[in-house]
Amino acid sequence: MRKLSGQDAAFLYGETPNWHLHVSGLMIVDAANAPEGWTFERFREVLISRIPEVPQLRWRYVDVPFGIDRPSWVEDPDMNPDFHIRRIALPAPGGPKELGEVVGRLVSYKLDRSRPLWEAWCIEGLEGGRVAILQKMHHAIIDGASGAGLAEVLLDLEPTPRISATALRDEIIETRIPSQVELFLRGLASSAFRTPIRTAKFIRQSGFQLASAVPVLRGDQPVSLPLTAPRTVFNTDPTARREFASARVELARVKAVKDAFGVKLNDVVLAMCSTALRNYLLERDALPASTLIVSCPMSLRTEGNKDAVGNNLGSMFASLATDVADPAERLMRIHESTQSAKEMHKALAAHQIMSLTETTPPGLISLAARMYTSAGLASRTPPAATVVVSNVPGPPIPLYLAGGELKALYPMGPLLMGMSLNITALSIIDHLDFGLMACPDVVDELSSLARSIPEALEELEQAAEKMRAPAKKAAPAKKAAPAKKA
């Protein structure tokens, strides 16, 4: 048995009927040009052959009664891959609209908790002879960085897929699962002895962090803090329904803007999202006077634990400078804010021992999440941030799935705590793919918001061109030739 970390357990127990805490990824595969043809059967065979290499695909969780302690992962001896690998077809003509509707419906369904927490949907019938693969995995077993790494395990460097020599059943190790009484007694002992110690450490850590943060807060650059974002149309608790939309831009163009302004790639990504959100709210006469605040998940993985299973995440809060009309000035303001946020994150991380989730019993997290949603506190309390925007590095080389070349990979993050919009970007070879996830009962016309992202890049390119254009100097007047003597 493998006990979950506090953060992983929080994702598991923080889920409610409307907060679906699974993450998803939509892969677009060129099936028409697969050298040996592309079939669902071959895809199924390849995926099953990779399960021995990915232990979390074989895990199911064992709960502790009353949630008094963190649950554990165990190998599922009865795992049936065909329950997780599914097939569906799009209605004609199989374009972006039809794909978005099907993906939205599939993502709206929660994962079956009695089995390993993942699904893989093969979506056929896309225009152009393409196939889409939708992967759903619970956030309790992956974060953005490990999810991108997992996708690469399932893909190949060549059209001919490698087949693992290890059989799935050879990898599953049956573990004796303690009885509910044993689990309860163990959990009670853990809570009684470890929780007070963890709480004392957390309080001590928080004091040191507060002292470290004071110099940053007193610095010249303003720091964006959680719970300071203005309320917008995005800051309503989601229902159970989900909608998906996507956008794609050339990575070289994003890098050119980055270089022109001397900022980071993530700053340009945030500026594109900022412009899209600003225009969306302006069209609805709903843009707040103060700037929107973004929450950016940050991987806390180091070289020693970069391949570890589960989550190791923090958050960075920054201004989107939506109160600034000029796109160039907006980008520079965002850059200043992210630099301040990184300084704040660095100051807090210097004394990071544990997170609050390590001190809180999972059952209490579940109770708090349900009370928050049932009492409608999302509409009565300040939003933690306006929107979540993630930027994850993806594969820089061509990859293949069951013989078909991977053409696009759109990531999708969860919706939670009064934020009904999530934007995630992932770089793949020479493109940057944006996956937008929203609740259609809160955010209307998500596709128009997605279309604004490439338009925002064009604005930044135009601003960069103006900045690069040399100022025209007046040509110096020619000196008059000296008069000739008679």
Side-chain angles (χ1 to χ4, degrees):
M1 296 178 66
R2 178 192 182 104
K3 182 174 284 192
L4 277 72
S5 70
Q7 193 172 54
D8 294 345
F11 280 122
L12 198 61
Y13 278 80
E15 195 167 44
T16 71
N18 292 345
W19 294 354
H20 307 160
L21 294 182
H22 52 256
V23 294
S24 306
L26 184 69
M27 296 186 287
I28 307 298
V29 178
D30 181 8
N33 294 318
E36 299 179 8
W38 202 98
T39 64
F40 170 77
E41 289 72 22
R42 180 173 297 173
F43 161 70
R44 174 186 173 276
E45 178 185 358
V46 169
L47 182 50
I48 292 176
S49 76
R50 306 295 162 83
I51 294 178
E53 303 176 30
V54 189
Q56 56 266 51
L57 297 184
R58 310 189 300 267
W59 293 347
R60 66 177 177 85
Y61 83 101
V62 176
D63 208 355
V64 177
F66 308 112
I68 61 172
D69 195 17
R70 302 199 299 267
S72 298
W73 297 117
V74 297
E75 298 269 2
D76 186 359
D78 301 320
M79 179 190 173
N80 177 11
D82 288 320
F83 175 84
H84 302 271
I85 304 172
R86 306 179 182 186
R87 188 179 190 181
I88 194 172
L90 293 182
K97 180 176 180 294
E98 290 77 22
L99 179 61
E101 289 175 352
V102 168
V103 169
R105 285 202 300 271
L106 296 179
V107 174
S108 297
Y109 304 137
K110 294 173 66 175
L111 294 164
D112 186 343
R113 291 197 170 206
S114 66
R115 301 174 182 268
L117 297 173
W118 66 277
E119 293 173 0
W121 288 86
C122 177
I123 306 174
E124 301 172 325
L126 275 73
E127 58 186 5
R130 298 171 301 154
V131 171
I133 305 297
L134 174 66
Q135 289 181 305
K136 293 171 56 180
M137 295 192 71
H138 203 281
H139 216 326
I141 52 179
I142 62 167
D143 55 22
S146 61
L150 175 60
E152 293 181 24
V153 170
L154 301 177
L155 297 165
D156 293 290
L157 297 174
E158 300 176 349
T160 302
R162 57 182 176 83
I163 304 297
S164 174
T166 306
L168 172 59
R169 295 300 162 191
D170 294 339
E171 284 293 301
I172 294 179
I173 302 172
E174 293 197 35
T175 305
R176 174 187 171 272
I177 301 176
S179 68
Q180 290 291 290
V181 174
E182 288 179 88
L183 289 170
F184 176 75
L185 292 177
R186 290 183 187 180
L188 189 62
S190 177
S191 297
F193 292 102
R194 294 183 183 179
T195 298
I197 297 174
R198 290 172 179 162
T199 302
K201 288 182 178 179
F202 180 76
I203 293 173
R204 180 172 178 269
Q205 164 195 296
S206 299
F208 282 124
Q209 286 184 325
L210 180 60
S212 300
V214 169
V216 182
L217 292 171
R218 289 179 174 176
D220 296 332
Q221 298 297 335
V223 178
S224 297
L225 299 174
L227 303 176
T228 61
R231 183 167 298 282
T232 67
V233 296
F234 307 119
N235 299 120
T236 301
D237 250 357
T239 67
R241 298 176 63 217
R242 298 291 180 269
E243 184 177 4
F244 164 75
S246 63
R248 161 170 272 208
V249 297
E250 293 85 355
L251 188 57
R253 295 171 58 195
V254 180
K255 290 181 176 179
V257 171
K258 169 187 76 74
D259 294 338
F261 286 95
V263 297
K264 303 296 185 182
L265 183 70
N266 192 57
D267 296 329
V268 183
V269 170
L270 291 179
M272 294 162 62
C273 295
S274 172
T275 299
L277 293 169
R278 187 176 189 276
N279 292 341
Y280 181 92
L281 293 173
L282 280 173
E283 290 173 0
R284 289 156 179 77
D285 195 23
L287 180 67
S290 57
T291 179
L292 306 186
I293 302 295
V294 63
S295 172
C296 300
M298 295 181 64
S299 176
L300 303 180
R301 296 176 183 272
T302 61
E303 283 297 319
N305 69 351
K306 66 179 182 178
D307 296 323
V309 172
N311 292 271
N312 195 352
L313 290 172
S315 291
M316 178 183 79
F317 293 87
S319 165
L320 286 177
T322 49
D323 55 336
V324 177
D326 181 71
E329 184 183 348
R330 192 182 314 130
L331 172 58
M332 298 312 299
R333 281 268 300 275
I334 290 172
H335 173 66
E336 293 171 0
S337 182
T338 57
Q339 293 304 109
S340 298
K342 289 174 183 176
E343 288 297 319
M344 174 65 78
H345 180 77
K346 184 178 178 180
L348 297 178
H351 301 284
Q352 183 74 41
I353 302 173
M354 62 180 64
S355 65
L356 181 61
T357 56
E358 298 290 338
T359 68
T360 310
L364 189 58
I365 294 175
S366 178
L367 178 63
R370 292 179 181 275
M371 288 181 62
Y372 182 91
T373 55
S374 62
L377 293 181
S379 59
R380 304 177 187 176
T381 57
T386 307
V387 63
V388 176
V389 177
S390 304
N391 182 19
V392 182
I397 56 176
L399 294 172
Y400 301 85
L401 178 60
E405 185 177 358
L406 179 67
K407 292 297 186 181
L409 177 51
Y410 300 106
M412 289 165 267
L415 311 181
L416 46 84
M417 291 196 65
M419 287 183 281
S420 287
L421 174 65
N422 183 296
I423 304 175
T424 307
L426 185 142
S427 58
I428 170 172
I429 311 179
D430 54 359
H431 284 86
L432 195 61
D433 292 345
F434 290 80
L436 286 77
M437 180 59 56
C439 172
D441 295 319
V442 177
V443 181
D444 64 333
E445 298 183 22
L446 183 64
S447 58
S448 69
L449 183 58
R451 287 193 298 269
S452 293
I453 291 178
E455 296 171 0
L457 179 57
E458 292 178 6
E459 283 190 18
L460 289 169
E461 288 174 324
Q462 293 169 7
E465 191 63 31
K466 290 179 182 178
M467 185 179 66
R468 282 193 294 258
K472 293 183 179 180
K473 296 181 180 180
K478 292 183 179 181
K479 291 183 179 180
K484 293 182 179 180
K485 293 182 178 180

